[in-house]
C-alpha cells in the first residue's frame, strides 16, 4: 500500500532533564495542559495534516505510552492501511541492539518504512508543544525540489547556541548547519522536524549505519550536506515550545491560562486529541474558589485554585490553596494544604496540612541544573505526609513518611528519592 | 450473557415542552456530560449484553448522531453489536411504530434470528445503573414468564405518572395499573423487563394479530393473571425523564456527592468522546456548587448550576440554579436564574432571564460573534 508521506515519531527518550517526572514514564507520555500528554500534539498534528501512517519509536519506559496510544482510536489512526504502529527495538538473528541514536532508531525500522513505499518521510520528535500543518511544509519541500527540508524557527540570538542553527540564503536554501554553535551566525533554529525524500533518507541511513549513536543533527544532516543534497529551511512562525526542562514545561503550562493564550486549545479547526479515561464533569463546591485556571474532567474542587493547571480526577480538599502549580491526574490533595509553584505528578497523595514551596530559594544539592526555577517537583505516585513543610528547588519521589523530614521540614534545595518505594 | 437487549428510545413527551423540539428524550443531555441513553447502553455493555437493538422513531437525528459509533460503549464487536431500528416502509408494512409492542413486532426478524434465550427490554429515558445479570438470575430462579424491575417510591410521593404494581409475598405481580388516578401502592415499574425470547415473539405476534400495540397496556396488564409476572426490587438510584421538572431535578441530583460517586464508581457510564479541552476559568470567575463539563470557558459567577460541554459564560454574568446545555453562549452582563438554556443557544449581552414560577426554557438563536 503506497503512501505519499509517512511520519516517524521519536518517542524513546527519557527526558532526564524533567527529573523525577520521567522516572517511570518516557517524556512524550508526561501529562500536559490539564488532560493531554505531550505526544498528543505531534500525533494530532499528523492526523490534522492528513498523515494517516505514523510509526512511533519507543524505548525508555514505554508502558504508559503503549497504553495511551493503543491502536490509535483517539487520533483516528486506527486504519486498515497504515494507522499508528508502535515500534520498539527488537532482536535479530545476527545482532540485537537498542536504539543508539535518533537516526539509528529510524534505520532499524527501514523495513517498516519500505512497506509503504513512501515518496517522503516526516521525522518528528515526541517532546514539543505546537500546532503545525505538515502538509504546508511538504508543499514547500516539493516547490523547492528539495531533498531535505528542516523546519526552523527564529529564536532570540542569545539563546541560539542551545539549538541546531541553520544558515540559509534568500531562497531558504541551507548553506550551513551547525549543531549548538558557540558563536551562532544565524538565529534560525532547527525544530527537530525533517521531511526527507525517501531515497535520500534511505541512502543516508544505510551509508551511516555503522555510525555509533547515529543522530539526525550530528550525522545524517552533515552527511546530506557533504553529498551535495538540496537542503531547505522551512520557517515556522507559530507557537512552538520545547518542554525539555522543568522550567519550560511549567512555563508552557502556565501560558495556557492566559485570557487568550498564544497557544489556544479552544480553536475548532485544529483539535488536539487524546485518550481520556474520564468523561464526567468537574465539581466546584460552594466553599471553593477557582480563577485563572484550567481544570480537567472529573476533578472535585473544595479549595482555592489560582493560576494553575489541574488534571482530570484530581481531588482538592477544603481550605487548600493551590497557586501557580501543575497537578496531574488522579492526585489526591487533602484539606488545608498549601501548594505554591509546584509540579505534582500523577496519582500522588498530599496529606492534610502539608505546605509545598515555602521559604527562600536555595540551589538544589542533587542537580541544580534540573531542579531550579524555584519549583517543587513531586514524582508520580508519591506520598507526602501530613503537615510537613517543603522548600523551593526541591524534588520528592516515592512514599515519604514524617521521619524523612527532619523537624517536619524539607529545606530548599533538598531531595528525597525513595527508589522502588511507590504506591 | 444469555440475553439480547432492546432499548426503547422512540419516546417523546409534550411535557418536555420546547426541549423536545430538537431531540427524543433518550438524547437529552444529563449530568453534565452524558446523554440519557448512555445509562441504558452502559448498563447493557457493563452487563456483557453483546447484542443491543435501539428502537427510535421520534426526532432521531440527534440520537443517531450520538450513536454514530458503537465503540464508545464497546459494542464494535464481531459477535453482536449495536443495531439501530427506525421505522421503515416494507412490502408488508407502511406504518410508523404505533406503540412499544408494535415497534418490537416490526423488528421481529431481529428477535427470531438471535440465538440468546432471553431478552432484556429497557427504556432509553431512564437514569439508572443496573447489573442485568442479577435480574436475569432472579427471573430464572423464579421460573417467571416476565420479570419487571420495580422500585418503592417514598411514601406519599406522587406516583401517578408511573406504572404502579402490587405483588404478593412471593413477589408475583397481582396488580398493574398504568398512570393510575388513585395509586394502590407506592411500588412502581422502572421499565426494565426480562422475558424469554420465544415467549416475547409469541406474545408480540399475538398482540399484532389483535391490533394491540402497547407493551405495558396490551401485554403486561392484559397478561398479569395469565402469565407468571414477577417483580424484582431495586432500591438504587432510578429516575425517569418525562417532563421539564423531572429533567431539571434529575440533573440537579448530580450536585449531590452521593449520586455523583454512585455513577462514577465502577462499572462506569460511558458516552461519546467529544475531544474538548479542559474547562477554563478566567479572572472574575466565581463558581460554587456547580458541575462544569469540558470545553467550558467561564468569566463570572455560576452558582448551583450545571454547565454542559463547551458553554461560554461572559463577564459580569450571574448564572443561578440553572442548566446550560451544550455549546450555549452567554453574553456579558446577563442574568440567568431558574432556567434551562437550550443547546447551541446564544444569549445576548445585558439580558435577563428568570423562571418566576418554575423552570423557564430559554431558546435563543441569535447571531454569535466569536473572537
Amino acid at each position: 500500500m503506497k503512501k505519499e508521506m509517512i511520519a516517524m515519531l521519536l518517542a524513546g527518550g527519557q527526558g532526564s532533564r524533567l527529573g523525577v517526572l520521567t522516572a517511570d514514564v518516557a517524556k512524550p507520555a508526561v501529562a500536559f495542559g490539564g488532560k493531554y500528554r505531550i505526544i498528543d500534539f505531534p500525533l494530532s498534528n499528523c492526523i490534522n495534516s492528513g498523515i494517516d501512517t505514523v510509526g512511533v519509536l519507543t524505548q525508555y519506559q514505554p508502558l504508559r505510552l503503549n497504553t495511551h496510544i493503543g491502536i490509535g482510536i483517539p487520533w483516528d489512526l486506527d486504519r486498515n492501511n497504515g494507522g499508528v504502529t508502535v515500534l520498539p527495538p527488537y532482536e535479530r538473528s545476527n545482532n540485537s541492539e537498542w536504539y543508539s541514536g535518533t537516526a539509528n532508531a529510524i534505520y532499524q525500522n527501514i523495513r517498516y518504512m519500505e512497506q509503504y513505499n513512501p515518496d517522503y518521510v516526516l521525522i518528528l520528535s515526541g517532546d514539543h508543544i505546537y500546532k503545525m500543518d505538515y502538509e504546508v511544509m511538504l508543499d514547500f519541500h516539493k516547490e523547492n525540489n528539495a531533498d531535505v527540508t528542516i523546519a526552523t524557527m527564529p529564536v532570540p540570538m542569545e539563546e541560539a547556541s542551545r539549538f541546531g542553527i541553520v544558515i540559509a540564503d534568500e531562497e531558504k536554501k541551507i548553506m550551513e548547519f551547525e549543531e549548538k554553535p558557540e558563536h551562532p551566525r544565524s538565529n534560525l533554529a532547527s525544530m527537530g522536524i525533517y521531511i526527507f525524500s525517501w531515497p535520500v533518507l534511505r541512502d543516508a541511513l544505510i551509508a551511516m549505519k555503522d555510525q555509533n549513536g547515529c543522530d539526525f543533527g550530528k550525522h545524517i544532516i552533515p552527511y546530506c550536506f557533504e553529498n551535495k543534497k538540496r537542503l531547505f529551511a522551512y520557517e515556522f512562525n507559530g507557537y512552538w515550545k520545547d518542554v525539555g526542562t522543568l522550567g519550560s514545561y511549567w512555563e508552557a503550562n502556565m501560558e495556557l491560562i492566559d485570557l487568550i493564550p498564544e497557544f489556544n486549545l479552544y480553536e475548532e479547526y485544529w483539535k488536539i486529541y487524546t485518550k481520556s479515561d474520564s468523561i464526567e464533569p468537574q465539581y466546584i463546591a460552594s466553599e471553593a474558589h477557582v480563577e485563572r485556571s484550567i481544570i480537567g474532567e472529573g476533578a472535585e474542587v473544595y479549595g482555592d485554585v489560582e493560576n494553575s493547571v489541574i488534571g482530570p480526577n484530581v481531588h482538592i480538599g477544603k481550605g487548600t490553596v493551590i497557586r501557580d502549580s501543575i497537578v496531574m491526574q488522579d492526585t489526591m490533595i487533602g484539606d488545608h494544604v498549601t501548594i505554591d509553584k509546584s509540579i505534582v505528578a500523577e496519582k500522588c497523595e498530599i496529606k492534610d496540612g502539608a505546605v509545598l514551596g515555602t521559604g527562600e530559594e536555595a540551589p538544589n544539592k542533587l542537580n541544580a541544573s534540573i531542579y531550579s526555577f524555584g519549583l517543587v517537583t513531586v514524582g508520580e505516585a508519591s506520598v507526602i505526609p501530613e503537615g510537613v513543610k517543603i522548600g523551593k528547588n526541591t524534588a520528592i519521589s516515592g512514599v515519604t513518611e514524617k521521619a524523612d523530614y527532619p523537624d517536619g521540614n524539607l529545606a530548599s534545595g533538598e531531595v528525597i528519592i525513595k527508589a522502588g518505594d511507590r504506591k | 450473557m444469555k440475553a439480547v437487549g432492546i432499548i426503547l428510545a422512540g419516546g417523546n413527551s409534550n411535557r418536555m415542552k420546547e426541549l423536545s423540539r430538537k431531540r427524543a428524550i433518550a438524547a437529552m443531555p444529563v449530568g453534565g456530560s452524558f446523554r440519557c441513553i448512555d445509562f441504558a447502553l452502559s448498563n447493557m455493555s457493563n452487563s456483557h449484553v453483546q447484542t443491543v437493538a435501539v428502537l427510535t422513531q421520534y426526532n432521531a437525528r440527534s440520537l443517531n448522531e450520538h450513536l454514530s459509533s458503537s465503540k464508545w460503549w464497546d459494542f464494535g464487536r464481531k459477535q453482536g453489536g449495536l443495531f439501530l431500528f427506525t421505522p421503515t416502509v416494507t412490502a408488508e408494512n407502511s406504518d410508523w411504530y404505533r406503540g412499544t409492542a408494535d415497534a418490537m413486532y416490526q423488528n421481529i426478524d431481529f428477535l427470531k434470528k438471535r440465538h440468546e434465550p432471553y431478552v432484556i427490554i429497557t427504556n432509553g429515558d431512564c437514569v439508572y445503573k443496573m447489573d442485568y445479570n442479577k435480574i436475569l438470575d432472579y427471573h430464572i430462579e423464579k421460573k417467571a414468564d416476565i420479570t419487571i424491575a420495580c422500585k418503592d417510591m417514598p411514601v406519599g410521593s406522587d406516583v401517578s405518572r408511573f406504572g404502579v404494581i402490587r405483588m404478593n409475598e412471593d413477589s408475583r405481580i397481582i396488580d398493574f395499573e398504568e398512570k393510575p388516578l388513585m395509586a394502590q401502592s407506592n411500588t412502581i415499574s422502572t421499565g426494565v423487563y426480562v422475558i424469554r425470547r420465544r415467549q416475547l415473539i409469541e406474545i408480540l405476534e399475538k398482540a399484532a394479530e389483535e391490533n394491540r400495540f402497547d407493551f405495558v397496556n396490551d401485554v403486561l396488564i392484559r397478561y398479569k393473571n395469565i402469565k407468571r409476572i414477577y417483580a424484582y426490587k431495586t432500591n438504587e438510584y432510578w429516575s425517569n425523564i418525562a417532563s421539564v421538572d423531572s429533567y431539571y431535578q434529575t440533573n440537579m441530583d448530580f450536585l449531590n456527592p452521593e449520586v455523583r460517586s454512585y455513577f462514577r464508581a465502577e462499572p462506569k457510564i460511558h458516552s461519546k468522546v467529544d475531544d474538548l479541552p479542559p474547562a477554563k476559568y478566567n479572572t472574575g470567575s466565581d463558581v460554587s456548587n456547580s458541575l462544569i463539563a469540558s470545553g467550558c470557558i467561564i468569566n463570572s459567577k455560576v452558582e448551583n448550576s450545571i454547565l454542559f460541554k463547551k458553554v461560554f459564560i461572559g463577564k459580569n454574568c450571574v448564572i443561578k440554579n440553572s442548566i446550560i446545555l451544550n455549546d450555549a453562549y452567554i453574553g456579558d452582563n446577563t442574568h440567568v436564574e431558574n432556567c434551562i438554556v437550550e443547546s447551541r443557544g446564544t444569549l445576548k449581552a445585558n439580558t435577563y432571564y428568570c423562571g418566576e414560577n418554575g423552570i423557564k426554557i430559554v431558546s435563543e438563536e441569535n447571531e454569535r460573534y466569536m473572537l
Side-chain angles (χ1 to χ4, degrees):
Chain A
M1 180 70 195
K2 176 158 179 76
K3 298 277 178 186
E4 187 188 23
M5 179 155 81
I6 64 169
M8 298 295 277
L9 178 48
L10 297 158
Q14 176 181 2
S16 53
R17 287 175 303 156
L18 288 181
V20 291
L21 293 186
T22 53
D24 286 335
V25 294
K27 179 157 80 168
V30 170
F32 184 87
K35 72 180 283 188
Y36 305 99
R37 298 192 183 277
I38 295 171
I39 197 169
D40 292 335
F41 296 89
L43 276 180
S44 301
N45 285 340
C46 280
I47 196 69
N48 289 337
S49 306
I51 299 168
D52 66 3
T53 307
V54 185
V56 179
L57 297 110
T58 61
Q59 174 158 285
Y60 175 80
Q61 290 279 19
L63 177 61
R64 176 76 45 79
L65 212 47
N66 289 339
T67 321
H68 186 66
I69 295 170
I71 59 165
I73 288 177
W75 305 272
D76 225 2
L77 285 169
D78 50 326
R79 299 293 169 119
N80 288 340
N81 290 308
V84 67
T85 309
V86 176
L87 303 167
Y90 55 94
E91 196 180 317
R92 265 155 293 207
S93 53
N94 46 357
N95 75 318
S96 306
E97 52 172 340
W98 293 101
Y99 294 155
S100 63
T102 52
N104 176 265
I106 304 289
Y107 169 70
Q108 292 196 40
N109 289 286
I110 214 157
R111 282 175 56 196
Y112 168 79
M113 295 182 282
E114 272 171 351
Q115 62 180 341
Y116 295 106
N117 185 24
D119 295 329
Y120 308 99
V121 176
L122 171 68
I123 308 289
L124 300 170
S125 60
D127 45 11
H128 299 150
I129 305 297
Y130 65 113
K131 293 181 191 174
M132 181 170 171
D133 191 342
Y134 304 130
E135 209 174 359
V136 177
M137 183 172 166
L138 180 61
D139 290 343
F140 175 89
H141 182 86
K142 289 182 193 165
E143 267 165 36
N144 288 301
N145 204 9
D147 295 315
V148 185
T149 299
I150 304 177
T152 59
M153 69 181 298
V155 294
M157 208 62 188
E158 57 272 22
E159 285 181 35
S161 56
R162 284 175 42 216
F163 295 91
I165 293 294
V166 303
I167 296 143
D169 69 7
E170 274 162 24
E171 263 75 59
K172 298 290 173 198
K173 187 162 192 288
I174 299 176
M175 314 306 290
E176 257 178 276
F177 183 89
E178 294 177 306
E179 187 68 20
K180 295 185 180 135
E182 239 175 273
H183 303 288
R185 286 179 292 147
S186 145
N187 70 337
L188 268 190
S190 164
M191 297 160 67
I193 299 166
Y194 311 99
I195 290 177
F196 283 89
S197 295
W198 168 236
V200 176
L201 177 63
R202 199 169 177 279
D203 287 350
L205 289 173
I206 291 170
M208 299 294 283
K209 71 182 162 67
D210 295 323
Q211 171 68 46
N212 192 33
C214 190
D215 182 90
F216 276 99
K218 288 193 198 106
H219 307 110
I220 297 293
I221 299 296
Y223 173 87
C224 292
F225 251 114
E226 285 159 22
N227 288 279
K228 306 277 179 279
K229 298 294 177 196
R230 290 171 62 80
L231 280 80
F232 279 80
Y234 170 75
E235 195 174 319
F236 177 73
N237 283 302
Y239 182 94
W240 178 83
K241 194 110 186 171
D242 178 359
V243 289
T245 64
L246 287 171
S248 63
Y249 170 81
W250 178 81
E251 218 173 77
N253 272 280
M254 291 301 130
E255 282 166 359
L256 297 172
I257 299 165
D258 296 343
L259 186 59
I260 298 161
E262 198 188 333
F263 189 72
N264 195 345
L265 295 168
Y266 296 80
E267 285 167 338
E268 267 304 301
Y269 58 86
W270 201 271
K271 272 193 180 180
I272 305 299
Y273 301 95
T274 188
K275 174 177 185 282
S276 38
D277 302 324
S278 110
I279 48 169
E280 288 93 350
Q282 53 203 268
Y283 177 71
I284 312 293
S286 303
E287 55 269 55
H289 185 80
V290 182
E291 260 191 292
R292 293 189 309 282
S293 295
I294 59 177
I295 301 187
E297 281 96 343
E300 301 253 328
V301 182
Y302 292 86
D304 286 7
V305 179
E306 269 175 56
N307 235 21
S308 295
V309 175
I310 310 292
N313 295 329
V314 170
H315 178 98
I316 297 171
K318 286 179 183 137
T320 288
V321 181
I322 300 180
R323 280 179 295 243
D324 309 317
S325 295
I326 300 161
V327 181
M328 300 183 203
Q329 65 183 58
D330 301 324
T331 285
M332 299 287 294
I333 298 173
D335 298 341
H336 306 288
V337 171
T338 305
I339 298 181
D340 272 304
K341 210 176 171 192
S342 302
I343 301 173
V344 181
E346 296 170 41
K347 301 189 192 79
C348 289
E349 202 179 321
I350 315 273
K351 296 198 174 158
D352 295 353
V355 179
L356 277 70
T358 181
E360 295 297 310
E361 272 193 45
N364 189 275
K365 288 178 183 164
L366 181 73
N367 194 330
S369 67
I370 292 179
Y371 302 110
S372 53
F373 319 100
L375 287 162
V376 178
T377 310
V378 182
E380 195 170 310
S382 300
V383 176
I384 293 181
E386 273 174 38
V388 296
K389 292 189 167 52
I390 296 164
K392 293 170 178 161
N393 291 332
T394 47
I396 294 158
S397 177
V399 179
T400 62
E401 285 151 22
K402 275 204 161 159
D404 298 319
Y405 298 81
D407 306 322
N409 286 309
L410 186 71
S412 292
E414 296 283 346
V415 173
I416 306 179
I417 293 178
K418 299 183 97 177
D421 198 12
R422 288 167 199 284
K423 264 198 300 185
Chain B
M1 185 69 179
K2 292 175 292 193
V4 291
I6 293 180
I7 300 176
L8 302 167
N12 177 46
S13 163
N14 53 12
R15 286 184 301 147
M16 290 300 285
K17 297 184 186 159
E18 296 95 316
L19 291 174
S20 65
R21 274 197 206 148
K22 277 197 179 172
R23 52 182 104 67
I25 293 178
M28 285 302 294
V30 173
S33 51
F34 301 103
R35 298 281 182 155
C36 203
I37 198 168
D38 290 336
F39 294 88
L41 279 173
S42 302
N43 288 338
M44 291 286 181
S45 156
N46 292 337
S47 306
H48 308 292
V49 179
Q50 283 186 315
T51 309
V52 176
V54 178
L55 302 182
T56 70
Q57 168 156 297
Y58 177 83
N59 208 350
R61 190 199 53 75
S62 170
L63 190 61
N64 290 344
E65 213 171 275
H66 186 62
L67 303 179
S68 63
S69 170
S70 51
K71 61 185 160 192
W72 315 125
W73 301 273
D74 218 5
F75 282 122
R77 300 288 139 217
K78 291 199 169 180
Q79 296 282 324
L82 189 65
F83 297 80
L84 227 66
F85 293 136
T86 325
T88 48
V89 175
T90 62
E92 293 91 42
N93 177 49
S94 58
D95 285 316
W96 291 91
Y97 296 155
R98 287 159 292 185
T100 44
D102 188 42
M104 288 188 272
Y105 175 73
Q106 289 195 28
N107 295 292
I108 206 152
D109 278 356
F110 165 76
L111 286 171
K112 285 183 173 169
K113 271 189 255 166
R114 304 307 309 177
H115 58 88
E116 291 90 340
Y118 297 97
V119 183
I120 289 160
I121 303 170
T122 180
N123 270 308
D125 49 11
C126 295
V127 174
Y128 71 110
K129 229 168 153 174
M130 189 182 282
D131 182 352
Y132 297 136
N133 292 295
K134 288 189 180 149
I135 187 171
L136 182 61
D137 288 347
Y138 176 90
H139 177 84
I140 293 166
E141 182 199 311
K142 287 284 179 190
K143 298 191 172 63
D145 291 314
I146 302 172
T147 300
I148 305 177
C150 296
K151 183 178 165 68
D152 287 338
M153 298 304 270
V155 179
S157 63
D158 176 25
V159 293
S160 63
R161 66 188 180 93
F162 301 113
V164 176
I165 64 128
R166 279 196 304 143
M167 56 192 202
N168 66 17
E169 306 80 55
D170 187 37
S171 297
R172 184 162 171 185
I173 292 176
I174 50 171
D175 203 4
F176 192 124
E177 274 189 291
E178 180 70 351
K179 301 188 174 74
L181 289 171
M182 282 285 288
Q184 302 294 312
S185 98
N186 64 336
T187 307
I188 60 152
S189 156
T190 63
V192 178
Y193 316 111
V194 180
I195 183 167
R196 212 154 40 81
R197 186 172 54 89
R198 292 197 180 284
Q199 174 110 69
L200 179 64
I201 292 170
E202 202 177 287
I203 287 174
L204 291 175
E205 283 179 337
K206 187 129 192 287
E209 250 170 54
E210 295 167 350
N211 274 327
R212 295 177 182 275
F213 305 123
D214 187 64
F215 191 69
V216 173
N217 286 310
D218 298 331
V219 175
L220 297 178
I221 293 179
R222 236 166 92 81
Y223 284 91
K224 66 176 185 271
N225 298 320
I226 303 159
K227 299 283 182 190
R228 291 165 59 84
I229 304 184
Y230 276 79
Y232 169 82
K233 277 280 188 71
T234 163
N235 290 313
E236 295 184 42
Y237 185 93
W238 178 87
S239 164
N240 168 261
I241 291 172
S243 64
V244 171
D245 285 340
S246 63
Y247 176 66
Y248 180 83
Q249 197 45 55
T250 302
N251 274 294
M252 287 300 169
D253 283 347
F254 278 79
L255 290 179
N256 177 342
E258 278 168 29
V259 173
R260 237 179 14 255
S261 56
Y262 172 69
F263 282 107
R264 283 187 65 164
E266 295 288 343
K268 287 188 168 207
I269 306 299
H270 310 286
S271 188
K272 185 179 168 184
V273 175
D274 270 336
D275 297 298
L276 291 167
K280 186 161 187 282
Y281 302 77
N282 290 329
T283 306
S285 78
D286 178 9
V287 181
S288 70
N289 191 34
S290 296
L291 281 170
I292 314 290
S294 45
C296 287
I297 300 179
I298 300 167
N299 288 292
S300 51
K301 192 175 172 69
V302 178
E303 200 183 320
N304 304 328
S305 296
I306 297 176
L307 271 52
F308 283 76
K309 292 169 186 170
K310 234 180 131 194
V311 166
F312 179 90
I313 310 282
K315 291 174 187 151
N316 299 315
C317 293
V318 176
I319 313 294
K320 208 171 163 183
N321 307 328
S322 293
I323 295 171
I324 319 287
L325 298 185
N326 308 2
D327 202 11
Y329 179 96
I330 298 186
D332 297 349
N333 313 314
T334 294
H335 184 103
V336 179
E337 191 173 345
N338 303 333
C339 290
I340 297 175
V341 176
E342 188 45 290
S343 60
R344 289 178 195 86
T346 303
L347 273 55
K348 284 184 181 162
N350 311 310
T351 47
Y352 182 90
Y353 301 89
C354 181
E356 303 289 349
N357 310 304
I359 304 306
K360 183 188 172 94
I361 295 167
V362 181
S363 188
E364 293 271 1
E365 311 255 321
N366 296 307
E367 287 279 320
R368 188 182 299 192
Y369 300 98
M370 292 295 281
L371 287 163

